């Protein structure tokens, strides 16, 4: 079992002080974006399967079968695989707030941003049991929809993030949100 505090402490720089350490709740797998992604992936897999079965029975061209199989694998990842990726990330990544920065690490790679940034968005679940904090990517509105970091924002916290570009800096589904927000507020006024 991984010790989050030890993993975060290994990433500290000289003179840096750890204010908060936590992880995402691995039981929280669904987001509002799944209201679109799950039906889409079911439709994707259903259409491809209905096209692949007759092609296989008719002994269709092998190139079409191979290409179709690739699309079926993509559909299976959309349907099931992304949840496995997401759960793995939630179990292996550690979130940390220091007096200088916030960072996300798994021991091999680290994403970070300045702790004094005020362009963060804090969202609570309806029952206020979990909190998510995301730092803005710099693009909003129509500009974000047609380019820039929009894909990163659209697929954030779905298990598909990172496939279409770098992942956003965000702490997702944190169970001790009050302590996290308190540490962020305290560090940002320093």
């Amino acid at each position: 079992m991984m010790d989050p505090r030890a993993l975060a402490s290994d990433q500290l720089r000289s003179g840096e002080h750890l204010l908060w350490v936590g992880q995402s709740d691995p039981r929280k797998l669904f987001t509002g974006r799944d209201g679109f992604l799950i039906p889409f992936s079911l439709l994707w897999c259903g259409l491809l399967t209905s096209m692949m079965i007759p092609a296989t029975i008719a002994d269709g061209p092998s190139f079409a079968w191979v290409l179709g199989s690739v699309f079926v694998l993509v559909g299976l990842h959309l349907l099931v695989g992304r949840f496995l990726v997401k759960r793995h990330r939630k179990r292996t990544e550690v979130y940390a707030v220091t007096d200088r920065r916030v960072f996300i690490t798994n021991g091999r790679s680290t994403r970070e941003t300045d702790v004094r940034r005020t362009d963060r968005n804090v969202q609570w679940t309806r029952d206020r049991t979990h909190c998510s904090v995301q730092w803005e990517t710099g693009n909003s509105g129509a500009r974000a929809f047609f380019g820039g970091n929009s894909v990163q924002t659209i697929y954030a916290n779905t298990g598909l993030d990172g496939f279409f570009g770098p992942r956003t800096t965000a702490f997702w589904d944190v169970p001790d949100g009050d302590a996290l927000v308190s540490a962020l507020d305290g560090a940002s006024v320093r």
Side-chain angles (χ1 to χ4, degrees):
M1 190 84 183
M2 172 183 62
D3 178 14
R5 184 164 286 284
L7 186 59
S9 295
D10 289 344
Q11 302 298 319
L12 291 178
R13 296 176 181 153
S14 177
E16 192 173 32
H17 301 285
L18 201 56
L19 304 176
W20 178 88
V21 176
Q23 284 185 279
S24 183
D25 186 348
R27 297 170 297 174
K28 301 267 303 169
L29 293 178
F30 296 101
T31 68
R33 293 175 184 96
D34 291 315
F36 168 76
L37 289 172
I38 290 173
F40 175 78
S41 57
L42 286 169
L43 180 66
W44 177 284
C45 288
L47 287 172
L48 284 169
T49 302
S50 68
M51 287 190 262
M52 291 287 293
I53 290 173
T56 304
I57 292 170
D59 207 22
S62 61
F63 175 74
W65 191 85
V66 169
L67 185 62
S69 297
V70 169
F71 283 112
V72 167
L73 289 174
V74 169
L76 289 174
H77 181 72
L78 284 170
L79 189 61
V80 178
R82 68 188 180 90
F83 292 108
L84 299 174
V85 168
K86 185 174 178 178
R87 187 175 182 127
H88 173 73
R89 287 176 179 166
K90 287 176 173 265
R91 288 181 172 188
T92 58
E93 290 182 336
V94 171
Y95 302 147
V97 178
T98 74
D99 55 341
R100 297 181 194 164
R101 63 190 172 125
V102 297
F103 64 88
I104 304 159
T105 187
N106 59 13
R108 293 181 309 279
S109 65
T110 302
R111 293 186 318 281
E112 66 181 65
T113 193
D114 192 324
V115 74
R116 294 170 299 199
R117 284 182 58 183
T118 58
D119 60 342
R120 67 178 184 255
N121 181 15
V122 179
Q123 293 179 324
W124 289 90
T125 55
R126 285 188 185 123
D127 56 1
R128 287 190 65 85
T129 58
H130 292 81
C131 173
S132 293
V133 179
Q134 184 175 12
W135 284 264
E136 298 297 323
T137 58
N139 289 337
S140 61
R143 182 172 161 228
F145 185 75
F146 292 109
N149 297 328
S150 66
V151 174
Q152 297 165 349
T153 304
I154 291 169
Y155 294 115
N157 197 27
T158 64
L160 296 173
D161 46 337
F163 287 101
F164 305 104
R167 293 173 56 204
T168 60
T169 303
F171 294 175
W172 300 112
D173 307 317
V174 175
D176 59 340
D178 287 326
L180 167 60
V181 171
S182 177
L184 288 170
D185 290 344
S188 64
V189 296
R190 287 182 181 209

